[in-house]
């Protein structure tokens, strides 16, 4: 087991950059430990590891609220922020040796399947999730599950939506509300390109945000139902051929950096070089922080679908960090109860939106207009429509890809984002030939 877990972790150092909605810095050194100040003697100390520095303040603020509401179960969080790869590798070794593990740890979605191999060293969280479960988007619990047990607490839904620059679309006579299907989207792109000479939207080579959505909507995946590798399949080919056709119109192009969520891409959007992004909802924070010139010009809408049918997913969740509890920890039960409150309670999820700009996994917040339409909220101020109006339209039809929970996923993701998509969209390789090569590469890797 140890060799399999380490191999899965060490072979995919690029994976998280493409999956996560919270950012990482693989070069960052461990930050000095931060400790909460808690009054009283009967306080339980919980050691927390994370690779996302701004999670620390959120956890601390919510732990203070927990202490206020549960004076008989006070906790003191001792938080350490480690570099992405360092933290996941240390966690693997700690679980194997049963020494040095924290009580609580953030595990990035792309790494999570590696910790589901063999004997799981994380606590089953099904019991502490139960009080909140009816309000939580089910697909975001599924991605941290194995054999009916849930091992991670989601940070956000990451519902894939469309971000339209309405000012740019108006110059080409395009109303984003008329775009319902992928054919509509493609036609709008061609119309926009003819009117402006600029790209309408992007083709991804270092991520799979739009690709995974289109694949899931068609009922496809990267694996067969029995878990065997199946990247070279007809539905996958159909999706990639369609996107290649979009690129061939000239209206869709590969953006610098290969996807919308990177430092090379932000200026391109800010300068009006592209009119649309198909991205997870957490991208709201990128607009507010990195594309300030577009304030008031961007509307959030449901993504296109293949056919206007209830059978298709309107959206899928993208990216994410699952907060897990080490099963062998002395205070595992209390840690699980506390972190379920911090990650899933309605109170906490209000702050997920207010502070982080993420779509909360607790959908009770979605209908609270005092929160979602608060005129003082920086995200409400930025976008030209209410972001949660779109979320409520797709609320009951947000899915996921089954392969995201499989131990093969990190390697599949790495292959697609470093080889397959570049071969197709940069090097001009035929789709089926590129898929055939990647299938062979991955089959060879999994035999080792």
């Amino acid at each position: 087991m140890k060799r399999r877990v380490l191999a899965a972790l060490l072979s995919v150092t690029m994976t998280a950059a493409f999956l996560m909605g919270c950012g990482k810095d693989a070069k960052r050194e461990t930050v000095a430990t931060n400790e909460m100040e808690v009054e009283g003697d009967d306080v339980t100390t919980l050691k927390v590891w994370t690779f996302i520095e701004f999670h620390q303040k959120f956890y601390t603020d919510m732990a203070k609220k927990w202490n206020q509401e549960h004076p008989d179960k006070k906790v003191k969080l001792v938080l350490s922020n480690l570099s992405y790869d360092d933290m996941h590798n240390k966690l693997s070794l700690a679980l194997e040796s049963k020494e040095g593990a924290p009580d609580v740890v953030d595990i990035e979605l792309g790494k999570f399947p590696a910790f589901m191999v063999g004997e799981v060293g994380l606590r089953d969280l099904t019991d502490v999730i139960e009080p909140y479960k009816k309000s939580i988007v089910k697909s975001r619990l599924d991605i941290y599950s194995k054999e009916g047990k849930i091992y991670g607490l989601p940070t956000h839904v990451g519902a894939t939506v469309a971000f339209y620059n309405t000012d740019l679309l108006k110059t080409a006579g395009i109303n984003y509300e008329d775009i319902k299907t992928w054919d509509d989207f493609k036609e709008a792109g061609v119309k926009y390109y003819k009117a402006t000479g600029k790209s309408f939207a992007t083709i991804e080579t270092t991520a799979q945000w739009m690709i995974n959505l289109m694949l899931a909507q068609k009922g496809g995946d990267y694996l067969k139902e029995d878990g065997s590798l199946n990247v070279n399949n007809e539905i996958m080919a159909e999706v990639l051929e369609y996107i290649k056709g979009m690129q061939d119109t000239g209206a869709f192009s590969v953006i610098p950096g290969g996807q919308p969520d990177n430092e090379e891409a932000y200026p391109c959007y800010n300068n009006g070089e592209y009119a649309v992004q198909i991205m997870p909802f957490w991208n709201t924070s990128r607009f507010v922080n990195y594309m300030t010139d577009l304030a008031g010009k961007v509307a959030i809408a449901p993504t296109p679908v293949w056919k206007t049918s209830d059978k298709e997913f309107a959206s899928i969740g993208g990216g994410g960090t699952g907060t897990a509890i080490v099963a062998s920890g002395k205070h595992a039960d209390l840690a699980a109860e506390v972190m379920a409150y911090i990650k899933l309670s309605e109170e906490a999820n209000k702050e997920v939106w207010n502070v982080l700009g993420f779509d909360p996994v607790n959908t009770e917040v979605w209908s609270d207009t005092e929160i979602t339409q608060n005129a003082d909220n920086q995200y409400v101020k930025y976008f030209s429509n209410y972001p949660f109006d779109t979320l409520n339209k797709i609320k009951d039809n947000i899915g996921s890809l089954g392969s995201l929970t499989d131990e093969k996923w990190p390697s599949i993701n790495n292959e697609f984002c470093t080889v397959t998509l570049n071969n197709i969209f940069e090097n001009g390789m035929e789709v089926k030939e590129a898929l055939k090569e990647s299938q062979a590469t991955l089959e060879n890797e999994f035999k080792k």
Side-chain angles (χ1 to χ4, degrees):
M1 174 193 171
K2 182 175 181 180
R3 286 196 299 272
R4 292 175 70 194
V5 173
L6 287 176
L9 286 168
L10 295 171
S11 67
V12 290
T13 56
M14 293 182 67
T15 299
F18 317 132
L19 288 176
M20 153 179 97
C22 307
K24 79 176 180 74
D25 182 355
K27 297 179 180 179
R28 185 184 60 239
E29 298 297 327
T30 301
V31 174
T33 299
N34 294 316
E35 295 188 17
M36 285 180 60
E37 294 184 4
V38 183
E39 295 182 357
D41 297 324
D42 189 16
V43 178
T44 302
T45 297
L46 300 177
K47 188 176 180 181
V48 181
W49 285 2
T50 182
F51 58 95
I52 303 165
E53 191 168 357
F54 64 80
H55 276 196
Q56 293 194 22
K57 184 179 185 305
F58 176 75
Y59 289 166
T60 299
D61 289 346
M62 290 310 304
K64 290 177 181 177
K65 292 185 178 182
W66 164 272
N67 288 343
Q68 291 172 357
E69 295 181 24
H70 304 84
D72 58 329
K73 295 182 179 180
K74 285 186 177 182
V75 296
K76 173 183 178 180
L77 303 186
V78 179
L79 306 109
S80 297
N81 195 55
L82 292 80
S83 70
Y84 173 82
D85 290 315
D86 189 34
M87 193 213 73
H88 288 94
N89 292 337
K90 284 184 175 180
L91 176 63
S92 177
L93 293 172
L95 292 178
E96 289 292 338
S97 66
K98 302 188 184 302
E99 293 182 1
D103 297 289
V104 180
V105 61
D106 279 345
I107 303 176
E108 198 273 322
L109 174 59
K111 298 289 193 183
F112 216 94
F115 292 95
M116 296 291 99
V117 178
E119 182 182 352
V120 180
L122 307 176
R123 184 190 187 279
D124 175 13
L125 301 174
T126 306
D127 60 331
V128 296
I129 290 171
E130 188 59 36
Y132 310 101
K133 192 173 182 179
K134 65 180 178 61
S135 301
I136 307 301
V137 176
K138 180 179 180 297
S139 61
R140 299 312 279 175
L141 297 176
D142 292 343
I143 59 176
Y144 302 117
S145 301
K146 180 182 180 181
E147 298 176 353
K149 297 179 180 180
I150 307 170
Y151 293 95
L153 302 168
T155 302
H156 55 63
V157 178
T160 307
V161 295
F163 295 88
Y164 291 104
N165 185 323
T166 55
D167 276 18
L168 293 181
L169 296 186
K170 286 177 183 177
T171 64
I174 296 171
N175 180 357
Y176 74 90
E177 294 179 324
D178 294 334
I179 300 174
K180 305 296 184 183
T181 67
W182 288 111
D183 285 345
D184 294 338
F185 189 74
K186 185 177 179 180
E187 289 171 12
V190 172
K191 182 178 180 180
Y192 181 82
Y193 180 65
K194 288 180 178 178
T196 66
K198 294 183 177 180
S199 293
F200 179 68
T202 65
I203 303 295
E204 300 163 340
T205 56
T206 62
Q208 297 143 284
W209 308 118
M210 188 171 74
I211 293 166
N212 284 348
L213 169 66
M214 297 172 82
L215 184 65
Q217 287 176 336
K218 273 186 172 288
D221 211 323
Y222 297 83
L223 303 172
K224 293 181 181 179
E225 289 187 5
D226 63 4
S228 60
L229 182 69
N230 189 35
V231 302
N232 185 18
N233 65 74
E234 286 302 316
I235 297 179
M236 179 74 73
E238 287 176 17
V239 168
L240 295 177
E241 291 281 10
Y242 192 91
I243 297 172
K244 187 68 172 68
M246 293 164 68
Q247 184 184 34
D248 290 344
T249 68
F252 302 82
S253 61
V254 176
I255 193 170
Q259 64 134 334
D261 185 30
N262 74 84
E263 293 180 357
E264 295 177 75
Y266 303 143
C268 297
Y269 287 103
N270 200 47
N271 297 335
E273 295 176 39
Y274 294 87
V276 188
Q277 290 187 22
I278 302 294
M279 285 291 292
F281 186 90
W282 47 253
N283 209 44
T284 54
S285 64
R286 310 308 199 255
F287 276 98
V288 169
N289 290 311
Y290 304 127
M291 293 167 270
T292 55
D293 292 347
L294 302 185
K297 302 177 182 178
V298 179
I300 299 176
T303 62
V305 294
W306 293 103
K307 297 178 181 179
T308 53
S309 165
D310 291 336
K311 294 181 180 179
E312 287 187 33
F313 289 134
S315 180
I316 63 169
T321 301
T323 301
I325 309 301
V326 174
S328 60
K330 181 179 178 181
H331 308 293
D333 290 343
L334 177 59
E337 189 179 357
V338 172
M339 294 312 296
Y341 170 86
I342 288 176
K343 298 297 291 286
L344 303 182
S345 70
E346 185 175 348
E347 184 68 23
N349 276 252
K350 289 177 182 179
E351 296 309 302
V352 166
W353 165 244
N354 287 332
V355 177
L356 305 178
F358 296 162
D359 44 349
V361 294
N362 189 323
T363 57
E364 291 292 329
V365 177
W366 294 19
S367 59
D368 186 346
T369 55
E370 289 188 11
I371 299 296
T372 64
Q373 297 183 14
N374 177 10
D376 294 326
N377 179 282
Q378 61 179 327
Y379 303 103
V380 172
K381 286 181 179 179
Y382 184 96
F383 294 96
S384 63
N385 60 346
Y386 290 122
F388 280 82
D389 285 354
T390 291
L391 288 179
N392 281 304
K393 288 178 182 177
I394 63 177
K395 177 179 177 180
D396 297 323
N397 203 11
I398 301 172
S400 184
L401 287 172
S403 53
L404 298 184
T405 63
D406 192 276
E407 63 183 282
K408 299 182 187 70
W409 173 246
S411 294
I412 294 170
N413 176 258
N414 188 57
E415 173 70 13
F416 266 69
C417 294
T418 58
V419 180
T420 317
L421 302 182
N422 273 290
N423 278 342
I424 296 169
F425 300 119
E426 293 281 24
N427 302 331
M429 184 181 288
E430 292 293 326
V431 169
K432 291 186 178 180
E433 182 63 26
L435 290 176
K436 181 180 178 182
E437 284 194 7
S438 290
Q439 176 85 18
T441 297
L442 288 165
E443 284 178 347
N444 185 57
E445 178 180 338
F446 296 143
K447 287 178 183 177
K448 296 178 181 179

